[in-house]
Amino acid sequence: MRLFLFCLLLVCKMQQAFAQDPLAEKMSWYNLSKPHNNLFVHFDKNVYSNNEMIWFTGYLLKSNLKEADAHQIMSVALIRAIDSTVVLQKRYLMDKGIAMGSLQIPDFVLTGDYYLTAFTNMTIGGKPAAMFVQPITLKTNIDPPFKANIKLTDTTTKGNDPHQVLISVTTKDGLFLPKPTSISYRYGALYKNTKTDASGQLLISLPQQNQLSDPNIYVKLQYEKDSTFINMPLPQPKAKASVKFYPEGGNMVAGLPAKIGWEVKDQQNRPIPLKALLFKDNKVVDTLETSSYGIGKFQMVPESNHTYTVKLVHSGLADSVYTLPSAIAEGLVMDMANAVVQDTLKLTLGSNATRKFIIRVHNFRESFLYIPFDMGYSKRVIKIPLTEVPKGLAVVTISDSLNRPLAERMFFAHYDRTERIKLTTDQPSYKQREKVTLKLNLKNVEEQAIVSVACVQDNRLELKKMTDIESYTYLNQELGTLPLHVNGNGFTDREYMEQVLLVKGWRKYTWQELQQTLAKDTVQHLENLKISGQVTRYKKELGKAKVLGTIGGDQMAMINTEEKGIFYFQNDQLLTSSENKMFIFVNDKDKYPYDIKINDPYINLNKQVAKRLSNEIVISPTNLLNNSGLVINGNEKAIRLQQITITSKKDKSFNNLNPQEKKLPGSNACGDYVCVYNILNCRNHVNDFANTQPIPGTKYTTSNKSVVTYRECTIASPEEKQFLYPITGIYLHKEFYHDEYKEPQEPAFFSTIYWNYLTPLKAGKETELSFYTSDIKGKFRIVVQGTTNKGVVYAEQFFEVKAN
């Protein structure tokens, strides 16, 4: 045995120097034929409220595109999950694989589940070449305009009896509404529009529908101009579970010991922890179980001419028997004691036939080790050094001399949970509006890193919607949807990874596709999303080229059209500061006859992405039985006064204290406003009803405490606007304002108290950051994640904020 191990290790070393994998070229082709782009976006949190700012940094971590540098724009959209509506969408500059920006949630956006989607300007086959999806929850700091509730009237429904669902609507004070409320609801394949009765109630009878992947009833309620959503999962009839068996290596071989992984899910694709009985023919031979992730394993020695079945022990599932795959007469079995390893992989191989085999270590994109060897009726223990294998997922494939796979197993190489970034705060707890000093130390394992830093209220990070850069890059990006980890960060749990790798495989690659790949398959049909437009005169094509101009961007741009009036924007012509409005016009004395139509491919692509999400993402049963369930807690928000309209012949409004300088309410055409504390564009009072428009020539304090004289808004007058056509720019990031909250009367209820787009770190050099706590008490979490010269990195730290 020792001699065999020594020889194998020697062969490994010789292979690295001389041996050539005959499939190496095919793997190179296969890699190029399967576009592989890893886009990750660090959003500051995953629970937001209306009027809050979404802060983010996008990282393009990997790309096998031949034109990887062409990723120059990142589109970010807010999509409502219940009806796939694209609520907001904007574009941001991407430079050297990094995109930074912020997106404000308007006051009018309804509460509920949403997706933040991001993709770059490069597409393949009409789909984004690189895309990222972050589920979020949107809450509100405003009490709902009316109360809405949903409940089952009879929870003992049996057989095929329909569900009886009662919806009730009242005023905020529990009184009857003067008019009926319009209701739209969806359950499975059933869609219907109706109204409540005079008492504000509606009783819905819903026939049972079998095998529903989504058991929720979704209800939209609209009373006059106000809308809200509620939903509830309905009891489902007992159904069969989804049970799959995964013999380690791929096959069970008669007479050879085998490890079997198995996974159990319900109709909603949720893991089921349970016990089960293993039968050999009709005799119980073992008791099995699955973990909280619905995954289990067991050992057995299959025999020919016998049937092996599993019967689940679970009161909530329909009684059923599941048959294991049949054992083959001759073959090879593999036993990998640990699939999550550091520098050496240990395999135990068993065979009941004499053959020539090939051990190949690869990731379908590149072959790292190629080891031919002979094996007879025996059991062999093999140790494979992973010096040439990069960190991450890889596969051991054992094939015959014709490269036909006989056994295969996935593993993770160079797994190491040694702390790589140490986060230290100067105190474990703080008072409200107290300074926090954070120190970041990059360990010597890494040389340098670029990270984004967020400090947010801990309950604004919902566990089931957490996405960290390590788990996403090393696991989800390659394997697809995985069971939800108990702490939201599966990569940190070695046992979790062992379970996952026993039952999961590559979602993009197969051995059969690899063998069939040809050189011609490497042609990548890339398309760059181009924003274009066309100028017409009296609604007809132009006969000669025209010159167009833009205003509102970082600089005024001049654009030449083609003879037919068609034109294309260059990226630098669309660059603008965050939230600035841009316009385009025909540079001609007589502007009346001209029309400009903008063709924005990002709009249609975002709609396609929204539609795909509704079909691809698995829906878990959720409960939102009343529309007050998504209201921010009272101690986490400022008191919001109700707007009152005062009519009088004399101007006595507090917004008009100086009759010589009448203040107009709200924001001006440029989006500028002044809060009640005379602060220009105060982030504490976005969309506050007491805001007024700034007066040109007047001095105001800014959010960074400097004093500026406001210049006149440069947006054109209503008469001029008919010649100006709005265009959506490519936004540059705006800095997060670090407030010290020195004004005691000004409320400071911010759940994100610190955001830093990019912070460079260097091993052995301490980085110090500082910020202040807000008026919100409780637990806060610091999240640091980004990229290093050796991969990606994630770290977090907690502290408490106590009342003064």
Side-chain angles (χ1 to χ4, degrees), residues 648-659 662-663:
S648 173
K649 292 183 179 179
K650 294 184 178 180
D651 186 6
K652 295 182 179 180
S653 166
F654 60 82
N655 285 341
N656 296 281
L657 298 179
N658 187 343
K662 185 174 180 179
K663 298 181 180 179

Side-chain angles (χ1 to χ4, degrees), residues 271 292-293 463-466 482-489 496:
S292 60
Y293 305 117
L463 178 62
K464 67 179 182 180
K465 295 179 178 177
M466 285 186 63
L482 300 178
L484 177 66
H485 185 259
V486 64
N487 294 325
N489 188 343
Y496 170 85

Side-chain angles (χ1 to χ4, degrees), residues 46-47 139 456-462 632-633 636 751 776-777 779-781:
N46 59 39
V47 178
K139 296 188 175 185
V456 302
Q457 188 182 2
D458 191 54
N459 64 10
R460 293 300 193 95
L461 288 167
E462 195 174 338
I632 298 291
N633 293 333
E636 299 175 10
S751 57
I776 297 177
K777 303 183 294 292
K779 190 176 182 180
F780 279 75
R781 183 187 310 211

Side-chain angles (χ1 to χ4, degrees), residues 129-189:
M131 193 173 87
F132 179 82
V133 180
Q134 173 64 61
I136 68 167
T137 300
L138 184 57
K139 296 188 175 185
T140 179
N141 54 19
I142 307 171
D143 291 329
F146 57 85
K147 289 183 179 180
N149 296 276
I150 185 172
K151 67 177 182 178
L152 273 173
T153 59
D154 185 4
T155 57
T156 60
T157 301
K158 297 181 179 180
N160 294 319
D161 294 340
H163 298 294
Q164 301 297 321
V165 177
L166 179 65
I167 298 172
S168 58
V169 187
T170 66
T171 66
K172 291 190 290 186
D173 302 320
L175 304 177
F176 291 151
L177 290 168
K179 300 176 183 179
T181 302
S182 298
I183 290 180
S184 303
Y185 64 86
R186 170 169 62 89
Y187 176 61

